[in-house]
């Protein structure tokens, strides 16, 4: 069969009309090959490569009226797309197309598409206007590479299969084109047809899937995280390093003993703090934040790339930074003993911990010390504590009074830390210790964030708020019903505040039950997001809140900095022409006009980063445990469904499934309100929060999936039910209908016991 490119070349160079008959004759196609050709030509027509005439096909110039577009970036709040199929030899570059919503009945122009994100495939109706091409989306199509990262495996006949690394994908796919990949290699693939049966072709070979530091590469590819900076962005960042600081226009704070307290393994330093008593029971305090807006100018290539990324993504073995390393880890980073540009937030804290005043300046700072949290805590707990730390802790104790008074939501959620050795292998997985030093920095940052939001509100300037809305009524009803199963009451007629949840947790004396209630409260909470409309921050019990303190790693903070520069007329220098940088003009007009779409986009990139980081930690934990399959662990149930429950290893983490079929020969009834499985004969109960011993049955480092099995009092596995129904509500069916029934023997990367490679038999983690 000829390729699509060969067919296009024949149509274009043919000296007579080229229909299906002429194409088949030219390439010597017969019988079933002609039928296959018909399907290829139909696909090419739908993809906009040729017209749909059957008597004589013609290559289409420009864009067809209906075609598949791929979103390549979000720029100025607008989704920019290109034709998915643009022949390499087509004249000119592929057109850049602005995605718009469908026009209304009144014929008004469509709005920018806020819901789309980079990498989306959209079937669209195109339109050429005086200002260029626009497109009206008709249908969002599944991504060609969604779930198509995996490991190449061969079956007994030598046929190649793609074993997925995404634990939500249950079945392997046949590989139609290996693209030079070899068995056992981690690859990125895309589908070659419309259905799963059509198979996939390898488009990129990643390498050894079990090599050190490969787990973050899997997450980067799977979630489509931009990780290579365009050359023009790198050049602009390098030019920005040549900027000098105007000592006559900036506040000189180099003699103030400001300290930056960060994790010991911090790659960049956004913030530093200082405080001293005011002689009247209160404190004068300073929060110095890296002045990224001085180096990253609106509208430049560097700014466009930072907006596309939205935030830095942190993995155990690497950082995918929002800004090139020359800025993020060097020029912008607040490093000890070096002059740095900073946005200074000056606040006054009363003896009661109230922030009574604030002002913002552009400053030059020289960090007195970069201190790890553990070292700062040790200095405070020691006999000789330096004054600059003593004053910080004293000011924090005042801020803590105000925090206690407003009573924000207090949930003790442990954070896992993966420590690697010099060769990228896991050295340790532990829960991060929570110190007072962490709370000190946190409360200073919260004070600065509140001050930034209120300062902008005072000038009626645009604000990128960090919004955390109260729980929805539906979630509150579910929480009430769940608590009722524990003989606890919650009235819905009262005003729902964080204090209500805190009192609820304080009333629980049993630690195991407290964990259950805490997780139920966590599931009740809304997801925080960025937006230009203020709806308060429920979790922190604050009326106005913005993110101001991390502009090196969050685009939202950079926008807040620009708004402050603009609103308060701070230094806005113009660089020399030789540096070829945009002017520093605060918040650009296009940002003001499209703030909603911009905040929607950076909220999406934040969620993408969280998922990628969580997936990577799961893979590291599974790799850590892969040598301990068969051991019995102390676990706690974290979620229950009709098909089984999920449990995590105490003190380590890593959610794994316990299928209901492994619980013995008894039927189990699923009580959704109680989040429990209950044995119909014995009354045996498995509920969220319960602690029990489980045997690790499977651990797949590639997918991060774990599988546990229950054990009896002697540590022996319980006899499984076999083929009898699992419960009164069975598991959801998965996998493609009518897929190939043959597959390779169980291989190195396979986790399932039957079927094709990579058939994980894992129903997925309960959503939180």
């Amino acid at each position: 069969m000829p390729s699509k490119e060969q067919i296009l070349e024949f149509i274009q160079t043919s000296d007579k009309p080229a229909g299906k008959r002429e194409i088949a004759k030219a390439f010597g196609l017969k019988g079933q090959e002609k039928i296959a050709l018909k399907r290829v030509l139909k696909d090419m027509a739908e993809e906009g490569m040729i017209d749909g005439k059957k008597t004589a096909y013609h290559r289409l110039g420009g864009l067809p009226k209906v075609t598949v577009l791929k979103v390549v970036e979000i720029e100025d709040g607008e989704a920019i797309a290109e034709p998915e199929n643009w022949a390499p030899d087509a004249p000119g570059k592929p057109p850049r197309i602005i995605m718009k919503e469908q026009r209304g009945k009144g014929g008004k122009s469509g709005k920018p598409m806020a819901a789309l994100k980079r990498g989306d495939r959209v079937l669209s109706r195109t339109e050429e206007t005086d200002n260029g091409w626009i497109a009206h989306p008709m249908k969002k199509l599944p991504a060609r590479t969604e779930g198509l990262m995996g490991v190449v495996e061969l079956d007994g006949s030598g046929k190649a299969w793609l074993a997925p690394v995404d634990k939500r994908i249950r079945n392997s796919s046949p590989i139609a084109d290996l693209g030079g990949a070899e068995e056992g290699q981690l690859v990125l693939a895309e589908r070659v047809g419309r259905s799963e049966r059509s198979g996939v072709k390898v488009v990129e070979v990643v390498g050894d899937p079990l090599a050190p530091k490969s787990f973050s590469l899997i997450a980067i590819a799977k979630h489509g995280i931009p990780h290579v900076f365009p050359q023009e962005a790198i050049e602009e960042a390098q030019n920005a390093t040549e900027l000098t600081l105007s000592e006559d226009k900036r506040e000189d704070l180099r003699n103030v003993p400001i300290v930056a307290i960060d994790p010991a393994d911090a790659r960049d330093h956004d913030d530093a703090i200082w405080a001293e008593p005011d002689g009247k029971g209160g404190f004068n305090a300073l929060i110095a934040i890296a002045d990224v807006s001085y180096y990253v100018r609106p509208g430049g290539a560097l700014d466009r790339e930072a907006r596309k990324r939205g935030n830095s993504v942190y993995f155990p073995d690497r950082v995918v930074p929002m800004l090139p390393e020359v800025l993020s880890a060097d020029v912008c980073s607040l490093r000890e003993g070096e002059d740095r540009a900073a946005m200074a937030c000056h606040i006054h804290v009363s003896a009661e911990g109230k922030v009574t005043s604030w002002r913002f300046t552009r400053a030059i700072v020289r960090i007195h010390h970069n201190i790890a949290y553990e070292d700062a805590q040790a200095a405070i707990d020691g006999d000789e504590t330096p004054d600059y730390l003593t004053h910080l802790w004293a000011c924090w104790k005042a801020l803590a009074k105000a925090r206690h008074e407003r009573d924000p939501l207090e949930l003790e959620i442990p954070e896992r830390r993966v420590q690697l050795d010099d060769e990228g292998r896991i050295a340790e997985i532990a829960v991060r210790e929570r110190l007072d030093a962490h709370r000190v920095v946190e409360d200073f940052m919260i004070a600065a964030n509140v001050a930034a939001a209120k300062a902008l509100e005072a000038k009626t300037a645009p604000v990128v708020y960090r919004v955390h809305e109260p729980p929805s009524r539906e979630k509150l009803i579910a929480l009430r019903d769940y608590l009722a199963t524990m003989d606890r009451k919650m009235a819905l007629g009262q005003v729902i505040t964080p204090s209500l949840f805190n009192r609820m947790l304080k009333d629980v004396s049993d630690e195991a039950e407290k964990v259950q209630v805490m997780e139920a409260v966590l599931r009740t909470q809304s997801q925080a997001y960025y937006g230009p409309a203020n709806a308060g921050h429920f979790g922190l019990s604050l009326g106005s809140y913005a993110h101001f303190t991390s502009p090196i790693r969050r685009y939202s903070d950079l926008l807040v900095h620009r708004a402050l520069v603009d609103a308060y007329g701070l230094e806005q220098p113009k660089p020399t022409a030789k540096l070829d940088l945009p002017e520093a003009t605060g918040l650009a007009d296009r940002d003001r006009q499209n703030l909603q779409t911009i905040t929607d986009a950076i909220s999406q990139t934040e969620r993408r980063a969280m998922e990628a980081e969580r997936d990577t930690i799961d893979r590291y934990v599974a790799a850590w445990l892969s040598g301990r399959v068969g051991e019995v662990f102390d676990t706690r149930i974290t979620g229950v469904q009709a098909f089984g429950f999920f449990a995590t290893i105490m003190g380590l983490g890593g959610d794994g499934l316990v299928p209901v079929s492994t619980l013995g020969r008894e039927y189990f009834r699923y009580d959704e309100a109680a989040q429990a499985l209950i044995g119909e004969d014995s009354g045996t109960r498995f509920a969220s929060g319960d602690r029990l011993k489980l045997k690790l049955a499977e651990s797949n480092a590639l997918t991060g999936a774990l599988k546990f099995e229950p054990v009896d009092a002697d540590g022996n596995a319980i006899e499984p039910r076999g083929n009898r129904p699992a419960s009164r509500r069975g598991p959801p069916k998965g996998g493609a209908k009518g897929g190939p029934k043959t597959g390779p023997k169980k291989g190195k990367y396979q986790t399932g016991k039957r079927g094709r490679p990579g058939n994980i038999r894992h129903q997925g983690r309960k959503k939180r």
Side-chain angles (χ1 to χ4, degrees):
M1 282 293 297
S3 66
K4 293 179 181 180
E5 288 72 23
Q6 289 172 321
I7 294 174
L8 279 174
E9 183 180 2
F10 174 76
I11 292 172
Q12 189 171 12
T13 58
S14 176
D15 56 1
K16 58 182 179 180
K20 187 181 72 170
R21 180 181 301 175
E22 288 74 24
I23 296 172
K25 184 177 180 180
F27 291 99
L29 306 181
K30 298 179 180 179
Q32 292 296 320
E33 294 173 331
K34 288 185 177 181
I35 297 175
L37 174 64
K38 183 178 180 180
R39 290 197 299 267
V40 171
L41 292 171
K42 184 177 181 181
D43 286 344
M44 293 173 67
E46 289 181 352
E47 293 169 2
M49 301 173 75
I50 58 176
D51 63 19
K53 298 177 181 179
K54 296 182 180 180
T55 54
Y57 294 101
H58 296 277
R59 182 175 190 151
L60 287 175
L63 284 175
K65 292 200 176 290
V66 176
T67 189
V68 177
L69 303 177
K70 185 173 183 179
V71 178
V72 293
E73 62 181 294
I74 305 296
E75 182 178 304
D76 302 337
E78 292 183 322
I80 309 298
E82 293 179 355
E84 184 175 57
N85 293 290
W86 187 261
D89 58 343
K93 295 182 179 180
R96 290 169 59 84
I97 307 158
I98 300 175
M99 306 294 290
K100 300 281 188 179
E101 291 180 1
Q102 293 283 12
R103 295 188 177 192
K105 293 182 179 180
K108 295 182 179 180
S109 177
K111 300 177 181 178
M113 286 294 296
L116 294 177
K117 59 182 184 296
R118 184 175 178 270
D120 282 347
R121 299 175 64 241
V122 188
L123 182 65
S124 307
R125 183 176 292 107
T126 61
E127 178 183 354
E128 190 171 15
T129 69
D130 293 339
N131 296 321
W133 286 94
I134 63 172
H136 305 290
M138 299 169 60
K139 180 182 179 182
K140 191 173 177 180
L141 303 176
R144 283 192 177 274
T145 57
E146 185 176 10
L148 294 181
M149 177 173 242
V151 176
V152 176
E153 290 195 347
L154 302 179
D155 62 16
S157 65
K159 184 176 181 180
W161 296 79
L162 184 72
V165 296
D166 187 344
K167 57 190 166 189
R168 296 171 297 181
I169 309 299
R170 293 170 56 83
N171 295 319
S172 296
S173 299
I175 300 178
D177 182 358
L178 276 169
E182 300 176 356
E183 183 180 13
Q185 287 186 319
L186 181 68
V187 299
L188 189 65
E190 66 177 29
R191 299 210 178 277
V192 295
R194 298 183 182 181
S195 71
E196 294 183 5
R197 301 187 202 179
S198 304
V200 301
K201 67 177 180 179
V202 174
V203 295
E204 181 181 344
V205 177
V206 179
D208 182 357
L210 297 179
K213 303 185 178 182
S214 66
F215 299 140
S216 56
L217 292 176
I218 293 174
I220 289 168
K222 173 188 169 185
H223 294 278
I225 296 173
H227 63 288
V228 177
F229 284 99
Q231 186 60 35
E232 57 180 348
I234 294 175
E235 291 175 358
E236 188 174 311
Q238 193 61 50
N239 288 341
T241 65
E242 302 298 323
L243 290 169
T244 57
L245 304 181
S246 303
E247 296 188 14
D248 58 331
K249 295 181 179 179
R250 286 180 174 263
E251 185 179 16
D252 192 343
L253 299 174
R254 285 175 285 190
N255 292 325
V256 179
I258 311 172
V259 295
I261 306 176
D262 293 292
D265 57 353
R267 281 106 160 175
D268 48 54
H269 306 279
D270 292 270
D271 55 82
I273 52 180
W274 166 87
E276 69 175 7
D278 66 355
K280 302 177 183 179
F283 295 86
N284 295 316
L286 167 66
I287 301 95
I289 307 298
D291 191 0
V292 175
S293 63
Y294 180 69
Y295 297 98
V296 182
R297 308 295 175 85
L302 189 55
D303 181 48
R304 291 196 299 271
E305 184 65 18
R307 182 176 303 196
K308 181 193 302 181
R309 295 176 179 226
N311 44 257
S312 298
V313 188
Y314 292 85
F315 299 108
D317 63 306
R318 76 186 70 226
V319 175
V320 179
M322 185 180 77
L323 302 173
E325 190 171 346
V326 67
L327 294 180
S328 62
D330 187 7
V331 175
C332 291
S333 188
L334 302 181
R335 300 201 303 198
E336 180 178 326
E338 299 186 21
D339 290 358
R340 288 290 185 261
M343 284 284 285
C345 173
H346 298 265
I347 60 174
H348 181 265
V349 181
S350 69
E352 294 74 30
K354 303 288 186 182
V355 178
T356 58
S357 64
W358 52 79
R359 66 184 179 90
F360 291 86
T361 65
R362 270 183 154 160
I364 301 177
V365 299
R366 185 178 295 158
I367 302 305
H368 193 62
H369 284 302
N370 286 117
I371 312 175
Y373 285 113
E374 295 79 5
D375 294 339
Q377 190 66 53
I380 282 291
D381 296 338
D383 296 330
E384 297 183 5
T385 304
D387 288 343
Y388 59 83
L389 288 182
T390 301
H391 296 332
L392 280 177
W393 254 251
C395 183
W396 165 64
K397 289 178 180 178
L399 289 170
K401 292 180 185 177
R403 181 187 182 99
H404 179 75
E405 184 177 334
R406 73 173 192 270
D407 200 13
L409 188 61
E410 298 287 352
L411 295 177
E412 299 173 7
I413 309 299
E415 180 186 357
R416 288 175 291 169
R417 178 177 59 87
V418 176
Q419 186 70 38
L420 305 180
D421 61 22
D422 294 337
E423 296 182 5
R425 295 183 300 242
I426 302 170
E428 179 187 20
I429 297 178
V431 175
R432 288 186 187 272
E433 185 181 5
R434 178 81 166 154
L435 305 171
D436 280 348
H438 293 96
R439 298 181 177 92
V440 170
V441 175
E442 181 180 295
D443 282 341
F444 270 87
M445 296 305 110
I446 290 173
N449 288 336
V450 172
K454 291 187 174 182
L456 290 172
E457 289 173 345
K459 292 286 189 177
T460 63
V463 186
V464 175
Y465 290 101
R466 180 61 170 179
V467 180
H468 182 224
E469 296 182 359
S472 66
R473 181 168 179 80
E474 292 76 14
K475 289 186 176 182
L476 290 171
I477 291 173
L479 177 62
R480 181 197 62 185
D481 294 344
Y482 174 69
L483 293 174
T485 66
M486 306 170 68
D487 295 325
R488 295 186 175 276
K489 295 182 180 180
M490 187 183 79
L492 294 183
Q494 59 189 311
V495 177
I496 304 299
T497 64
S499 300
L500 171 67
F501 295 120
N502 291 338
R503 290 195 302 271
M504 185 186 301
L505 292 169
K506 288 178 182 178
D507 290 341
V508 183
S509 56
D510 181 79
E511 284 301 317
E513 186 177 347
K514 189 171 185 176
V515 171
Q516 290 178 258
V517 177
M518 188 179 300
E519 290 186 345
V521 170
L522 180 62
R523 289 194 298 268
T524 305
Q525 302 307 306
S526 304
Q527 187 170 35
Y529 62 90
Y530 296 106
N534 187 18
H537 197 293
F538 177 82
L540 292 175
S541 194
L542 291 169
S544 297
Y545 194 65
H547 272 172
F548 161 78
T549 55
S550 296
I552 289 178
R553 61 186 179 91
R554 293 190 304 227
Y555 195 79
S556 58
D557 303 50
L558 179 56
L559 291 172
V560 169
H561 279 228
R562 288 174 177 167
L564 286 167
V565 168
D566 204 36
Y568 285 87
L570 303 182
E571 180 201 10
Q572 299 186 23
K574 296 181 179 180
T576 59
K578 68 176 182 179
L579 293 182
D580 191 26
L581 294 172
E583 296 182 2
T585 55
L587 199 63
D589 289 341
R590 68 176 188 280
D591 293 335
R592 296 172 182 273
Q593 297 165 3
N594 298 305
L595 210 52
Q596 182 65 64
T597 51
I598 295 171
T599 53
D600 287 346
I602 59 179
S603 295
Q604 289 176 359
T605 61
E606 179 190 44
R607 287 190 285 272
R608 177 182 68 187
M610 291 170 62
E611 291 174 4
E613 291 168 358
R614 184 171 60 244
D615 286 354
T616 302
I617 294 292
D618 286 346
R619 287 185 172 90
Y620 271 110
V621 170
W624 177 254
L625 293 170
S626 60
R628 304 178 67 180
V629 171
E631 290 188 30
V632 176
F633 293 89
D634 291 320
T635 70
R636 180 171 54 80
I637 297 177
T638 57
V640 183
Q641 292 292 329
F643 51 81
F645 60 83
F646 297 95
T648 186
I649 298 175
M650 301 288 292
L652 181 63
D655 276 355
L657 174 67
V658 181
V660 71
S661 60
T662 65
L663 300 181
R665 303 190 64 81
E666 183 179 9
Y667 284 105
F668 279 80
R669 175 175 55 85
Y670 174 48
D671 187 334
E672 185 173 4
Q675 287 290 292
L677 287 169
I678 304 170
E680 289 195 349
D681 298 328
S682 65
T684 301
R685 180 186 179 94
F686 296 97
S688 181
D690 287 354
R691 300 186 182 189
L692 69 165
K693 290 185 179 296
L694 294 173
K695 183 177 75 172
L696 180 62
E698 296 176 10
S699 181
N700 188 327
L702 286 178
T703 64
L706 305 177
K707 184 179 176 182
F708 295 110
E709 291 178 353
V711 295
D712 58 21
D714 298 324
N716 299 316
I718 297 175
E719 183 183 356
R721 178 178 299 106
N723 293 325
R724 295 175 61 191
S727 69
R728 293 305 185 192
R729 285 180 56 183
K733 295 179 180 179
K737 294 181 179 180
K741 297 181 180 180
T742 60
K745 299 176 182 179
K746 186 172 180 181
K748 179 179 179 182
Y749 306 102
Q750 186 177 352
T751 58
K753 294 182 179 179
R754 290 180 292 180
R756 296 178 290 278
N759 186 1
I760 298 168
R761 304 181 65 187
H762 186 294
Q763 301 293 343
R765 178 182 290 102
K766 179 177 176 63
K767 293 183 180 179
R768 292 181 174 85

